[in-house]
Amino acid sequence: MRTDFSPTATSARDFYRLLTAVVVPRPIAWVSSVSPEGIDNVAPHSFFTVASTNPPIVQFTSVGEKDSLRNITASGEFVVNLAPAALLEEVNATGTNFPPHVSEFDAAGLTREPSLTVAAPRVKESPAVLECRLHSVLPMGDSTLVFGEVSHAAVSDAVLDGSHPRIDLLEPLARLGLDEWGTLGDIQDLTRIRLKDWPGHFRPKA
């Protein structure tokens, strides 16, 4: 048995809650930006992914028009800071709807770190950062997709194995449904099957 949900017969808010409960886990773009008045902003956005590998472009979605979106469209740049499990309280705190003249860096007790290629500061406590220049924005319903071309990446030596970031040391946070957050849990290595190595047909599990 299944229960059916139609977006035309369900309120937008309730369908949003359904979507965010089943599109999980969602990585977090902890986006830092600077307003035209010079106020540093940092906020979590959990609709986030890689949009292109060459050139390297990342994408996050602003649901509604928030300070991050206004700042980025005005300045043309931003930083995506990885949101680690150790900073759960701080990441959550930066999601508070402070007025534009309040910096979340100060409210959440975060340290500014200068970026190399953009004016927006990094979050020093974040183990990995992607400095981005605005590529484009795409309005989509009640939201806006923000695309940023990565101009520089910086990763803490403490989470690197040679030149590769170790996922168990990054310990990224993820958003789930309602007020739920998640961490990695068990990690499994599983190599993608090449066609020449295909073992045979899989059968439905009982």
Side-chain angles (χ1 to χ4, degrees), residues 86 90 104 118 133 160 171 186 189 206:
E90 289 83 354
E104 289 81 2
V118 298
R133 294 196 173 96
L160 286 175
E171 294 188 301
D186 294 334
D189 284 332

Side-chain angles (χ1 to χ4, degrees), residues 1 5 19 25-26 36 46 71 130 133 149 162 164:
M1 294 289 293
F5 298 88
L19 285 175
R26 298 188 309 282
S46 68
N71 294 349
L130 303 174
R133 294 196 173 96
E149 184 168 349
H164 184 72

Side-chain angles (χ1 to χ4, degrees), residues 21-205:
V22 297
V23 182
V24 290
R26 298 188 309 282
I28 298 166
W30 203 14
V31 176
S32 51
S33 59
V34 182
S35 74
E37 295 73 30
I39 305 299
D40 299 325
N41 174 274
V42 58
H45 298 265
S46 68
F47 298 170
F48 169 53
T49 191
V50 176
S52 168
T53 59
N54 186 20
I57 295 174
V58 294
Q59 175 259 311
F60 76 91
T61 299
S62 175
V63 180
E65 185 178 352
K66 299 176 180 176
D67 290 341
S68 297
L69 177 60
R70 287 188 288 267
N71 294 349
I72 292 167
T73 54
S75 68
E77 57 187 37
F78 60 97
V79 179
V80 174
N81 307 272
L82 184 135
L87 296 180
L88 170 60
E89 298 292 337
E90 289 83 354
V91 174
N92 183 59
T94 59
T96 301
N97 59 336
F98 293 108
H101 67 273
V102 174
S103 172
E104 289 81 2
F105 276 91
D106 299 327
L110 298 168
T111 308
R112 297 166 175 82
E113 179 181 80
S115 296
L116 290 184
T117 62
V118 298
R122 308 167 179 169
V123 175
K124 185 176 183 179
E125 291 82 358
S126 173
V129 298
L130 303 174
E131 299 176 10
C132 301
R133 294 196 173 96
L134 180 62
H135 176 275
S136 57
V137 295
L138 177 63
M140 186 75 65
D142 65 351
S143 303
T144 303
L145 281 64
V146 179
F147 297 88
E149 184 168 349
V150 179
S151 55
H152 185 74
V155 182
S156 169
D157 290 344
V159 301
L160 286 175
D161 181 2
S163 61
H164 184 72
R166 283 181 48 178
I167 191 66
D168 60 321
L169 298 178
L170 288 171
E171 294 188 301
L173 282 168
R175 283 291 278 124
L176 308 174
L178 300 175
D179 291 328
E180 300 161 337
W181 300 70
T183 52
L184 288 176
D186 294 334
I187 301 171
Q188 300 182 46
D189 284 332
L190 185 63
T191 303
R192 181 179 299 180
I193 303 171
R194 297 180 181 178
L195 183 57
K196 68 181 182 66
D197 299 323
W198 185 252
H201 292 291
F202 285 80
R203 287 180 169 81
K205 291 182 172 61

